[in-house]
């Protein structure tokens, strides 16, 4: 039996609601979840025994974690694989670069000003470092290899909110920009390298869910799920449904199978490399 | 001739002068910096669009003005979400446009002439290890650009931005930094850094050392002033002299007297310009930081970089003088305060990144060439 643990922000909901479908026909797998609000998830840490601790919560926060998970913390030691889902690693900020700018020597979309590719590279490195360094430091004491999974890319349908929502406006401009693929691949490649250098694995969003650079097909954003298993009201274009969750779980299982064994622990303790 | 009807003996012309006119009461017995050090020639309101430029120290001036709600022009803005330190490393959010440090008036004049198509810089693209730099602002692209064409495209956009900034300008705040510089001898093109420092290559047959004198600086500044006046005949100017000493001198002398000489020339030029023209004022930031009553305490341990305490004293003096001279209505004052609060919040955000407070100064690169 291979035991899997999924820890994450509200995006755990999509995976949790796909659990039954996913496990059908996979008697060799066992699956557990631990979900919490994104701000708490991003500030959580692991201790040397591999126990995942959310930051100190007020009463409402504690109640929510208890209601969803039955415990305030979760021990990862008994699991063969642990995946954490819910990171964006600064890509929305990187995407915002293209809202009003062309990239010198790369695109000519008629924007009134240009930025150069070195600034884009530096912005990517700054944004990844600002978020990934904290994550790695918080996870380092557990000294085990983990799978990090991004929060779902926003759905293309978020464009309908562009007139009143900054993220939507920036993403629409990004998706329309001829440099979008180049910038996204640059970000993804650098992110993957840095995560692997720290001894972890990046699980990329499954191809069949992707509508373009940092975009999810709208069909996966219909009827999304909360991390406590309840259905969300309406479509918020950032949370995905059980079908999406199933695709991610399948991709995770395939990755595990391809590596055949548990992800190799880092040769040196993670803590020493940070 | 004395008035035979006047009572008493003739008086000294110093009699009755204010305390600030006397060394003992104006300096020795005053706090530091002394009050009354600076009386603005004209008010600077928070509405007037300010074009900032100059040597490294000018970055402090622009930042403080912006953080205190003044309308500091940024005609070539970075994308909004680029963090402060990163933006500044790429030459953004330092001055009215992305021209980097302007150390000499001649450099400033040539930039403006180029905007008017009256100057074409020579040898304007420098190369280093397969990357290409704008020779007139090599510090704004930290790793250069991919081709000379990219440099030229970027410069054309930059010149548009400078023109736009000049068009808006109500006040030019310029910090004079250096007299020593390097020139492309056949064309007279002035570079902000010596060729070969950031990129390019020094050619003794082509590149010539220049040490500007006060008359030349004044003439250049008046030409520059005329260019700004074509956009706005009422534009005003505020000059300061950077207290930052030379990192190195190419004059052949010792760097200490070379620094004092250079700063004295700049101070003379600035002082005479301010004396001769109602639209040009001088603010004594150089004196506050560098004069001997400060005891060198306003510099960092390297005796070159200005300590944040020094910057605070300079800008506090400036703001105190202009806040009291700013004849605003209560509504304007409320608006200014609100803007200042917003600016302060933005400043607090920037302060989270220590690097954001480092001054971008190509001159420091010279230090690397010391050995």
């Amino acid at each position: 039996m291979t035991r899997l643990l999924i820890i994450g922000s509200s995006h755990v909901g999509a995976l949790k609601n796909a659990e039954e479908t996913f496990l059908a026909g996979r008697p060799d797998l066992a699956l557990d979840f631990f979900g919490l609000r994104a701000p708490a998830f991003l500030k959580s840490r692991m201790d040397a025994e591999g126990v995942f601790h959310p930051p100190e919560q007020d009463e409402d926060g504690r109640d929510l974690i208890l209601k969803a998970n039955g415990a305030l913390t979760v021990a990862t030691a008994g699991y063969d694989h642990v995946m954490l889902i819910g990171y964006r690693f600064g890509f929305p900020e990187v995407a915002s670069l293209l809202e009003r700018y062309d990239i010198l020597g790369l695109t000519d979309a008629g924007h009134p000003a240009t930025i150069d590719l070195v600034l884009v590279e530096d912005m990517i490195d700054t944004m990844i470092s600002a978020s990934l360094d904290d994550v790695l430091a918080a996870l380092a004491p557990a000294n085990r290899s983990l799978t990090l999974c991004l929060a779902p890319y926003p759905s293309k349908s978020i464009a309908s909110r562009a007139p009143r929502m900054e993220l939507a406006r920036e993403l629409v401009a990004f998706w329309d920009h001829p440099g979008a693929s180049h910038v996204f691949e640059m970000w993804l490649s650098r992110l993957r390298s840095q995560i692997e250098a720290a001894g972890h694995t990046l699980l990329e969003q499954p191809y069949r869910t992707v509508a373009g650079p940092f975009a999810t097909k709208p069909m996966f954003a219909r009827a999304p799920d909360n991390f406590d298993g309840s259905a969300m009201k309406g479509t918020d274009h950032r949370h995905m449904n059980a079908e999406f969750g199933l695709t991610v779980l399948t991709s995770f299982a395939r990755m595990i199978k391809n590596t055949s064994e548990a992800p190799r622990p880092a040769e040196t303790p993670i803590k020493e490399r940070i | 001739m004395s008035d035979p009807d006047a009572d008493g003996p003739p008086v000294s012309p110093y009699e009755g002068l204010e305390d600030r006119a006397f060394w003992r009461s104006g300096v020795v017995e005053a706090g530091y910096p002394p009050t009354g050090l600076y009386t603005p020639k004209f008010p600077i309101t928070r509405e007037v669009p300010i074009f900032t430029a100059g040597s490294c120290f000018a970055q402090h001036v622009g930042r403080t003005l912006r953080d205190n709600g003044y309308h500091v022009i940024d005609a070539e803005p970075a994308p909004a979400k680029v963090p402060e330190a990163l933006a500044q490393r790429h030459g953004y959010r330092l001055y009215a446009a992305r021209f980097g440090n302007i150390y000499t008036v001649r450099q400033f004049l040539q930039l403006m002439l180029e905007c008017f198509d009256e100057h074409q810089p020579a040898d304007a693209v420098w190369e280093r290890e397969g990357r290409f730099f704008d020779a007139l602002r090599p510090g704004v692209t930290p790793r250069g650009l991919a081709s000379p064409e990219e440099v030229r495209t970027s410069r054309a956009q930059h010149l548009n931005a400078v023109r736009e900034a000049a068009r808006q300008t109500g006040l030019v705040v310029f910090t004079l930094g250096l007299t020593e510089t390097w020139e492309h001898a056949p064309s007279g093109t002035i570079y902000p850094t010596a060729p070969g420092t950031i990129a390019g290559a020094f050619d003794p047959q082509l590149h010539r050392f220049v040490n500007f004198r006060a008359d030349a600086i004044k003439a250049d500044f008046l030409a520059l002033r005329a260019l700004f006046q074509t956009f706005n005949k009422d534009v005003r100017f505020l000059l300061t002299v950077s207290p930052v000493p030379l990192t190195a001198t190419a004059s052949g002398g010792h760097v200490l007297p070379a620094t004092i000489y250079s700063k004295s020339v700049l101070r003379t030029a600035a002082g005479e310009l301010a004396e001769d023209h109602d639209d040009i004022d001088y603010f004594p930031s150089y004196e506050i930081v560098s004069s001997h009553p400060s005891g060198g305490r306003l510099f960092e341990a390297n005796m070159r970089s200005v300590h944040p305490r020094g910057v605070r004293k300079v800008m506090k003096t400036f703001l105190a003088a202009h806040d009291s001279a700013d004849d605003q209505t209560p509504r304007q004052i409320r608006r200014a305060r609100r803007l200042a609060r917003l600016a302060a919040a933005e400043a607090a955000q920037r302060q989270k990144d220590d690097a954001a407070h480092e001054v971008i100064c190509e001159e420091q690169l010279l230090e690397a060439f010391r050995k």
Side-chain angles (χ1 to χ4, degrees):
Chain A
M1 175 71 71
T2 301
R3 297 190 66 202
L4 312 180
L5 173 64
I6 315 282
I7 302 173
S9 63
S10 51
H11 300 291
V12 163
L15 281 65
K16 192 171 184 182
N17 285 348
E19 180 182 16
E20 197 177 325
T21 315
F22 173 71
L23 290 177
R26 287 188 174 94
D28 55 327
L29 294 181
L31 197 51
D32 286 311
F33 295 92
F34 191 87
L36 60 170
R37 286 175 175 147
F41 168 66
L42 296 172
K43 288 180 185 163
S44 299
R45 62 180 180 84
M46 283 205 196
D47 64 23
E49 280 71 47
V51 178
F52 182 88
H53 295 268
E56 195 167 330
Q57 300 286 296
D58 61 16
E59 200 173 323
D60 281 352
R62 277 195 304 274
D63 286 351
L64 189 64
I65 293 172
L66 278 172
K67 184 180 163 200
N69 308 292
L72 287 170
T73 61
V74 60
T76 64
Y79 291 91
D80 300 294
H81 300 277
V82 178
M83 180 168 83
L84 295 107
I85 180 170
Y87 305 106
R88 294 211 184 276
F89 294 122
F91 193 76
E93 287 77 13
V94 173
S96 75
L97 291 180
L98 303 192
E99 191 183 0
R100 293 188 178 87
Y101 294 81
D102 268 311
I103 301 175
L104 198 58
L106 190 71
T107 70
D108 186 8
H111 290 290
T114 61
I115 48 175
D116 63 73
L117 210 47
V118 175
L119 176 65
V120 177
E121 289 168 1
D122 286 354
M123 179 72 171
I124 287 173
D125 289 342
T126 301
M127 289 295 114
I128 290 177
S129 177
S131 47
L132 183 62
D133 289 357
D134 285 347
V135 169
L136 295 178
L139 302 178
N143 196 24
R144 66 172 294 166
S145 288
L146 302 161
T147 299
L148 304 185
C149 184
L150 300 168
Y153 308 146
S155 165
K156 275 270 187 178
S157 56
I158 202 171
S160 63
R161 290 199 180 171
R164 283 183 300 171
M165 184 184 188
E166 184 185 43
L167 174 67
R169 193 190 69 231
E170 290 171 349
L171 285 177
V172 167
F174 172 73
W175 290 329
D176 286 345
H177 199 287
S181 291
H182 186 92
V183 170
F184 181 69
E185 289 304 324
M186 202 155 66
W187 171 78
L188 198 57
S189 165
R190 285 169 182 243
L191 177 64
R192 190 188 304 116
S193 300
Q194 290 193 35
I195 287 175
E196 287 174 0
H200 303 297
T201 304
L202 174 69
L203 181 68
E204 293 173 30
Q205 184 163 321
Y207 179 75
R208 69 173 287 257
T209 68
V210 172
F214 204 67
T216 297
K217 292 174 181 169
M219 61 179 280
F220 294 104
R222 282 184 217 115
D225 304 300
N226 279 317
F227 70 81
D228 60 3
S230 62
M232 282 188 172
K233 291 177 191 166
T235 302
D236 80 341
H237 312 285
R238 284 170 291 181
H239 288 86
M240 302 299 150
N241 54 29
E243 191 179 350
F244 178 92
L246 179 63
T247 313
V248 172
L249 286 173
T250 305
S251 180
F252 184 37
R254 192 178 301 124
M255 188 195 83
I256 292 166
K257 192 177 173 189
N258 287 344
T259 53
S260 70
E261 303 295 331
R264 262 203 308 276
E267 290 174 5
T268 53
I270 293 167
K271 193 161 56 177
E272 291 176 17
R273 283 185 276 109
I274 291 176
Chain B
M1 185 181 285
S2 60
D3 179 357
D5 297 330
D7 293 333
V11 295
S12 158
Y14 293 95
E15 193 170 308
L17 292 182
E18 296 175 64
D19 284 353
R20 65 182 181 141
F22 297 92
W23 187 260
R24 193 178 70 188
S25 51
V27 178
V28 179
E29 294 170 352
Y32 198 83
T35 53
L37 198 62
Y38 167 58
T39 305
K41 200 184 256 189
F42 41 78
I44 300 174
T45 66
R46 285 178 167 82
E47 282 72 34
V48 64
I50 300 174
F51 186 114
T52 63
S55 67
C56 323
F57 188 76
Q59 293 170 29
H60 295 302
V61 178
R63 184 182 300 137
T64 305
L65 289 173
R66 188 178 57 192
D67 291 348
N68 281 277
Y70 284 86
H71 179 176
V72 177
I73 296 168
D74 184 1
E76 207 170 3
K81 292 188 178 171
V82 176
E84 191 74 358
L86 177 59
Q88 293 188 356
R89 212 158 56 238
H90 284 258
Y92 295 101
R93 299 180 197 155
L94 295 173
Y95 300 114
R98 197 178 164 219
F99 38 66
N101 294 327
I102 295 179
Y103 294 102
T104 61
V105 178
R106 180 71 56 85
Q107 185 195 340
F108 196 3
L109 174 61
Q110 288 185 352
L111 170 65
M112 295 307 297
L113 286 170
E114 195 184 350
C115 288
F116 281 81
D117 291 326
E118 291 178 19
H119 172 74
Q120 185 65 41
D123 192 15
V125 180
W126 286 349
E127 188 266 344
R128 190 189 73 209
E129 297 171 357
R131 302 289 293 176
F132 298 88
F133 297 76
D134 184 337
L136 288 313
R137 46 175 195 152
V140 305
T141 48
R143 298 196 294 284
L145 299 176
S147 68
E149 290 69 35
E150 286 190 10
V151 173
R152 283 188 275 272
T153 303
S154 178
R155 182 149 194 88
Q157 293 172 349
H158 170 60
L159 293 175
N160 285 337
V162 176
R163 257 191 304 273
E164 179 51 36
R167 201 184 313 278
Q168 299 173 27
T169 300
L171 173 75
V172 178
V173 177
F174 183 64
T175 300
L176 296 95
L178 297 174
T179 55
E180 293 189 15
T181 192
W182 292 87
E183 164 182 78
H184 181 268
S187 68
T189 299
I190 294 292
Y191 302 116
T193 63
T197 307
I198 291 178
F202 179 69
D203 179 351
Q205 302 300 313
L206 201 60
H207 300 122
R208 181 170 62 193
F209 174 71
V210 184
N211 200 357
F212 287 115
R213 296 186 172 188
D215 282 346
I217 294 168
K218 286 195 295 178
D220 284 346
F221 192 83
L222 292 176
L224 179 72
R225 170 175 172 254
L227 291 175
F228 273 97
Q229 285 172 334
T230 62
F231 289 118
N232 174 8
K233 64 181 175 48
D234 297 321
V235 65
R236 287 166 161 166
F237 300 84
L238 179 66
L239 296 177
T240 65
V241 171
S242 167
V244 179
L246 276 65
T247 297
T249 179
S251 65
H254 189 283
V255 70
L256 180 59
T259 293
I260 300 300
Y261 172 75
S262 185
K263 298 297 174 182
S264 302
V265 167
L266 294 174
R267 179 64 186 89
T268 299
E272 291 185 355
L273 285 165
E275 274 194 17
D276 292 348
H277 303 278
D278 290 341
D279 57 332
I280 303 176
D281 200 0
Y282 172 77
F283 174 72
S285 56
Y286 169 67
E287 287 84 342
I288 292 171
V289 177
S290 298
S291 63
H292 69 270
S294 73
R297 292 186 301 273
L298 302 183
F299 284 102
E300 299 273 15
N302 64 8
M303 292 192 275
R304 183 171 184 276
S305 309
V306 179
H307 192 282
R309 189 169 54 240
V311 176
R312 279 198 300 274
K313 283 190 185 295
V314 166
M315 296 315 300
K316 195 173 167 187
T317 303
F318 177 87
L319 293 171
H322 278 286
D323 280 349
S324 60
D326 192 353
D327 188 17
Q328 294 179 315
T329 64
R331 187 178 173 190
Q332 287 171 322
I333 291 169
R334 282 197 301 276
R335 180 171 181 272
R337 285 179 181 158
R338 190 173 67 247
L339 289 171
R341 275 198 303 275
L342 289 171
E346 289 173 8
Q349 181 61 35
R350 283 196 295 276
Q351 283 173 8
K352 287 180 180 173
D353 192 343
D354 290 343
H357 287 266
E358 287 182 9
V359 169
I360 311 295
C361 196
E362 293 96 340
E363 252 209 313
Q364 289 168 350
L365 286 170
L366 288 175
E367 188 66 20
F369 287 76
R370 188 168 66 87
K371 291 176 181 172

